[in-house]
Amino acid sequence: MNRRAVVVRASCAWLIVLISLMVAPVAGQARVSSGCTATASASKSGAIDLTTATVWHVKDADVINGSGNAPTAQKSAQLKVLLFGIGLPLLDRQGNSPSGSAGPYLIADYDRYTRVLSVAGTSTTCDGSILVIVDDVAPLATWAGILGLIALLLGLIGLVATSLQFPSGSARVVGMVVGLVGGLGLGLLLQQGAILDPANIFGLLLPAGGALLGLIVPGVLHRPRVAAGERL
């Protein structure tokens, strides 16, 4: 068996194992600390105790509000949206109060972009997180899902194309780029399917693994041209 084919198969198997390790139940343990409490309500889906809950199922028509309380006055509070474990600022407030609130937020204003949203909140002495899943929105009805599918398809097409090329340095660079894009696309699709938690920083291993695969794949299916009249 061709040695390169064996390496590629081994790499693909490694990626499958990697995905299986990351695809764990999205509900983890609550991370509200220091005696703080948090609650939220949705106009259609009802109220939830964010102090103990880790996953919040809502609907497209919901309007949500949230509030938090702490044993001592909090001088600052931040909310972040997590994507591949990286926090993107959503809210930043300053003050001096043991309680605070946020909202109202209309789910329909956000679920066109993503149906699975991991939100983390921190204040002076408190922190917590919640995974929000919009149940009545399909994964491919969001921008994240569509872009993820496009990126995955482009990555797969690019990997096949580079496998037919001569394994030059430029082909490997292109392979790494398309592998990276494909890995990001796969990660987005897994997130939109509520299989991979966007707060899971190990999700970055998918684009990293795709880039590694793209480094190996070029030339695997390449066949040198045989000059006319040359014997094989």
Side-chain angles (χ1 to χ4, degrees):
M1 183 181 292
N2 186 284
R3 184 178 179 181
R4 283 180 180 166
V6 172
V7 173
V8 171
R9 289 184 181 181
S11 300
C12 291
W14 176 80
L15 285 175
I16 293 172
V17 172
L18 175 63
I19 293 171
S20 67
L21 289 174
M22 290 189 300
V23 176
V26 292
Q29 295 185 356
R31 292 176 293 175
V32 177
S33 62
S34 303
C36 304
T37 61
T39 59
S41 63
S43 57
K44 302 292 183 181
S45 304
I48 185 172
D49 183 359
L50 300 178
T51 309
T52 56
T54 55
V55 181
W56 187 12
H57 293 271
V58 297
K59 299 182 182 299
D60 173 74
D62 272 323
V63 177
I64 63 174
N65 291 272
S67 62
N69 293 277
T72 59
Q74 306 294 294
K75 297 182 179 180
S76 65
Q78 298 82 34
L79 283 179
K80 293 182 179 180
V81 175
L82 299 173
L83 184 64
F84 291 102
I86 300 173
L88 305 175
L90 179 65
L91 176 69
D92 191 343
R93 289 183 178 176
Q94 305 296 319
N96 189 22
S97 173
S99 63
S101 61
Y105 298 108
L106 178 62
I107 292 294
D109 289 340
Y110 302 93
D111 61 17
R112 71 190 69 178
Y113 306 108
T114 178
R115 66 177 291 268
V116 178
L117 194 67
S118 184
V119 182
T122 58
S123 63
T124 306
T125 61
C126 308
D127 67 86
S129 63
I130 187 72
L131 184 70
V132 182
I133 302 176
V134 186
D135 289 330
D136 55 350
V137 173
L140 292 180
T142 66
W143 279 107
I146 294 172
L147 291 175
L149 179 61
I150 293 173
L152 177 59
L153 291 176
L154 288 176
L156 292 175
I157 293 171
L159 289 174
V160 171
T162 56
S163 70
L164 298 171
Q165 296 179 354
F166 179 79
S168 63
S170 59
R172 296 192 188 281
V173 170
V174 172
M176 289 181 63
V177 172
V178 296
L180 176 69
V181 170
L184 282 172
L186 177 59
L188 286 174
L189 284 177
L190 290 176
Q191 289 176 12
Q192 292 307 296
I195 298 173
L196 176 64
D197 188 341
N200 189 349
I201 195 169
F202 290 107
L204 289 174
L205 293 176
L206 284 173
L212 178 61
L213 186 61
L215 179 65
I216 300 171
V217 162
V220 169
L221 301 178
H222 175 71
R223 293 293 180 268
R225 292 184 180 180
V226 179
E230 182 180 343
R231 289 190 176 184
L232 298 177

